[in-house]
């Protein structure tokens, strides 16, 4: 006798897979428009370390559009108005956000779980919004060449969700895009990143600080009582670094950031250091009938500039602007899904092009270098020019095509 329990079935207008920044923002925006939306998140909560925590001025503009900016900024966060580097011991200020034509002229650093909880809290105010945690998508449901839903594993058992539109916002390792067979174009990334946290002491520098020495690059983000540190390594080199031993790694960190020397023993095991495998890629086509990919599921970004979250948010805003009014009345066709890709592909390509240029011209030669480094005189001169500082600030803070909530 077959005792297998039949899966529960749900029907919604839009099902979003992934409760990250893109998925939660899209869920909120569609619910505001009265679209019935269900967000599926495979984890039990949003509490995970070393996710991207940068909230750029373009995203803060979206919060202003929603009338939520003051409430949002009341949550714990830090702010920086400049992007600074120390290259071979020479301090350089390469970006100044204070002149941006935005309400917030700074980058905010907020733990991603705070950001996602904030979006979820406000989305729940709309009766058309539902969020299911511990809901892991295992497969697609397809009918006559159209994606019509997903199969989901939950603690209560199997679930089938049927939807007029399925949105994949489940990150750079997207199960949905893999099951959909969408073609991925690998743009290339020559490095990986080691994430770690080290306590912050009074008298430490306070601004966003990149430190560059021969063969080394360390980015330090001020999180109040600790530094969130990103140490760049050549792709695939972690095992070699581990073989050299943890004390040797401590010495590397002490050379590039001497003021951390008295607290590196806080990194007492390799488990305290997390590997981020960097990928830079994008889908050739972001959609299939019944399915749209956004955020990292459509385009994985390099951590350079910390712009991945903000591009994902812009994707969500564009998707809601273009598809929201249509979804209220039923399914959308592939031509309408193509409008989202058309709107967002150019800023994605341009951002990745800049990231690859930075990787190939700066990061790769730096990681392979054994000689002392010093900033070229032109860079030193440009870093002293206020007008020059506005260019990187605009590219990082606003990007190529900022979106606004309609």
């Amino acid at each position: 006798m077959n005792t297998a329990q039949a899966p529960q079935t749900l029907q919604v207008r839009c099902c979003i897979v992934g409760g990250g920044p893109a998925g939660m923002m899209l869920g909120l925006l569609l619910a505001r428009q009265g679209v019935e939306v269900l967000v599926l998140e495979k984890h039990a909560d949003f509490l995970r370390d070393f996710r991207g925590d940068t909230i750029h001025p373009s995203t803060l503009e979206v919060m202003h559009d929603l009338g939520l900016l003051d409430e949002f900024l009341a949550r714990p966060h830090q702010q920086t108005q400049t992007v600074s580097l120390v290259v071979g011991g020479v301090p350089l200020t390469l970006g100044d956000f204070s002149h941006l034509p935005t309400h917030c002229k700074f980058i905010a650093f907020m733990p991603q779980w705070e950001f996602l909880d904030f979006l979820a809290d406000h989305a729940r105010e709309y009766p058309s919004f539902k969020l299911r945690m511990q809901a892991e998508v295992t497969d697609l449901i397809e009918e006559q060449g159209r994606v019509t839903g997903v199969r989901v594993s939950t603690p209560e058992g199997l679930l089938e969700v049927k939807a007029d539109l399925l949105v994949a916002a489940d990150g750079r390792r997207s199960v949905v895009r893999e099951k959909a067979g969408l073609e991925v174009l690998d743009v290339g990334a020559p490095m990986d990143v080691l994430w770690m946290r080290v306590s912050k002491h009074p008298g430490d520098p306070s601004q966003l600080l990149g430190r560059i020495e021969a063969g080394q690059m360390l980015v330090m983000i001020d999180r109040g009582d600790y530094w969130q540190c990103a140490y760049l390594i050549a792709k695939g080199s972690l095992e070699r670094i581990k073989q050299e031993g943890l004390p040797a790694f401590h010495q590397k960190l002490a050379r590039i950031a001497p003021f951390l020397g008295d607290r590196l023993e806080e990194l007492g095991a390799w488990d305290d250091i997390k590997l981020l495998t960097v990928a830079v890629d994008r889908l050739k086509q972001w959609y299939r009938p019944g399915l749209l990919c956004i955020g990292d599921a459509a385009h994985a970004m390099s951590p350079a500039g910390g712009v991945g979250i903000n591009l994902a948010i812009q994707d969500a805003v564009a998707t809601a602007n273009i598809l929201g009014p249509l979804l209220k009345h039923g399914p959308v066709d592939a031509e309408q899904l193509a409008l989202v890709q058309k709107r967002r592909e150019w800023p994605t390509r341009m951002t990745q092009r800049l990231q690859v240029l930075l990787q190939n011209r700066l990061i790769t030669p730096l990681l392979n270098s054994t000689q002392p480094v010093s900033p070229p005189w032109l860079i030193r001169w440009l870093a002293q020019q206020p007008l020059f500082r506005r260019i990187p600030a605009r590219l990082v803070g606003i990007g190529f095509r900022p979106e606004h909530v309609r």
Side-chain angles (χ1 to χ4, degrees):
M1 183 172 66
N2 184 6
T3 58
Q5 184 178 1
Q8 179 190 2
T9 302
L10 291 179
Q11 179 76 45
V12 296
R13 187 72 79 190
C14 179
C15 176
I16 301 169
V17 181
M24 293 306 303
M25 179 60 79
L26 181 58
L28 168 59
L29 294 175
L30 291 179
R32 286 178 78 248
Q33 298 184 43
V35 176
E36 183 190 23
V37 58
L38 170 66
V39 178
L40 302 174
E41 168 55 44
K42 69 179 181 180
H43 295 101
D45 54 46
F46 298 127
L47 292 170
R48 271 166 302 289
D49 260 343
F50 306 122
R51 300 177 78 165
D53 294 343
T54 51
I55 311 295
H56 287 51
S58 58
T59 296
L60 294 169
E61 282 296 284
V62 172
M63 306 308 288
H64 177 266
D65 293 344
L66 293 170
L68 300 175
L69 180 59
D70 290 342
E71 183 183 350
F72 180 67
L73 292 177
R75 293 234 170 177
H77 71 283
Q78 289 78 40
Q79 300 178 7
T80 184
Q81 259 192 347
T82 61
V83 175
S84 299
L85 290 175
V86 177
V87 182
V90 179
L92 303 169
T93 299
L94 298 179
D96 180 358
F97 301 105
S98 65
H99 299 282
L100 292 181
T102 54
H103 289 85
C104 296
K105 303 177 190 303
F106 54 81
I107 287 179
F109 297 100
M110 179 181 292
Q112 194 172 115
W113 59 83
E114 288 276 3
F115 183 35
L116 297 178
D117 280 338
F118 183 87
L119 296 178
D121 289 345
H122 282 277
R124 290 189 185 100
E125 296 175 2
Y126 300 94
S128 60
F129 176 85
K130 296 291 185 293
L131 169 63
R132 288 195 66 152
M133 308 298 285
Q134 293 182 278
E136 184 171 4
V137 170
T138 59
D139 208 351
L140 302 183
I141 300 171
E142 300 186 48
E143 298 173 10
Q144 299 178 335
R146 182 181 181 89
V147 177
T148 57
V150 284
R151 294 185 176 89
V152 187
S153 174
T154 77
E156 295 78 32
L158 298 178
L159 172 66
E160 288 189 353
V161 179
K162 297 291 190 72
D164 290 331
L165 176 65
L166 179 69
V167 177
D170 52 341
R172 63 185 60 208
R173 296 182 183 89
S174 171
V175 170
V176 174
R177 83 178 188 184
E178 178 188 347
K179 296 290 185 181
L182 294 170
E183 182 180 353
V184 181
L185 304 174
D186 185 9
V187 180
M191 79 284 193
D192 291 327
V193 174
L194 299 180
W195 280 108
M196 67 209 86
R197 61 166 65 189
V198 180
S199 62
K200 182 172 181 287
H201 291 182
D204 284 355
S206 59
Q207 73 269 40
L208 176 65
L209 201 63
R211 307 183 74 88
I212 297 176
E213 297 290 347
Q216 297 192 92
M217 182 170 181
L218 178 70
V219 176
M220 304 180 64
I221 300 172
D222 180 1
R223 302 312 308 268
D225 58 351
Y226 70 92
W227 291 105
Q228 182 170 313
C229 300
Y231 184 81
L232 275 66
I233 63 174
K235 181 163 286 296
S237 65
L238 177 59
E239 286 308 312
R240 176 180 57 79
I241 292 172
K242 284 186 173 181
Q243 288 172 6
E244 294 171 354
L246 197 56
F249 183 65
H250 288 169
Q251 291 172 13
K252 289 177 184 285
L253 293 176
R255 281 198 298 272
I256 194 168
F259 65 91
L260 294 180
D262 61 347
R263 62 201 95 154
L264 291 174
E265 294 303 320
E266 295 169 11
L267 303 173
W270 287 110
D271 287 344
D272 297 325
I273 301 164
K274 309 300 182 184
L275 174 67
L276 170 65
T277 301
V278 176
V280 183
D281 63 39
R282 62 177 178 269
L283 292 178
K284 184 175 182 180
Q285 183 169 299
W286 298 17
Y287 61 90
R288 279 183 52 191
L291 167 67
L292 174 68
C293 297
I294 64 172
D296 280 1
H299 46 75
M301 310 302 291
S302 161
V307 297
I309 293 175
N310 300 282
L311 274 171
I313 294 292
Q314 303 302 307
D315 286 357
V317 175
T319 301
N321 286 343
I322 293 168
L323 301 182
L326 304 170
L327 273 172
K328 283 193 290 189
H329 306 294
V332 293
D333 58 34
E335 288 76 15
Q336 292 158 335
L337 300 180
L339 294 177
V340 177
Q341 179 174 350
K342 183 178 180 181
R343 173 77 185 174
R344 296 304 307 159
E345 187 170 31
W346 179 76
T348 297
R349 282 173 174 264
M350 293 300 293
T351 304
Q352 288 185 333
R353 191 171 296 173
L354 274 182
Q355 289 185 327
V356 169
L357 181 67
L358 185 63
Q359 288 174 175
N360 293 343
R361 296 292 180 88
L362 174 64
I363 295 173
T364 299
L366 171 71
L367 295 178
N368 293 330
S369 172
T370 58
Q371 301 299 317
V373 297
S374 178
W377 70 267
L378 180 60
I379 297 298
R380 295 189 194 209
W381 181 79
L382 287 172
Q384 297 173 10
Q385 310 307 312
L387 286 176
F388 169 78
R389 294 176 184 175
R390 299 185 188 187
I391 298 171
R394 188 175 185 97
L395 291 174
V396 170
I398 297 179
F400 288 98
R401 181 175 281 163
E403 305 287 348
H404 291 277
V405 178
R406 292 179 192 165

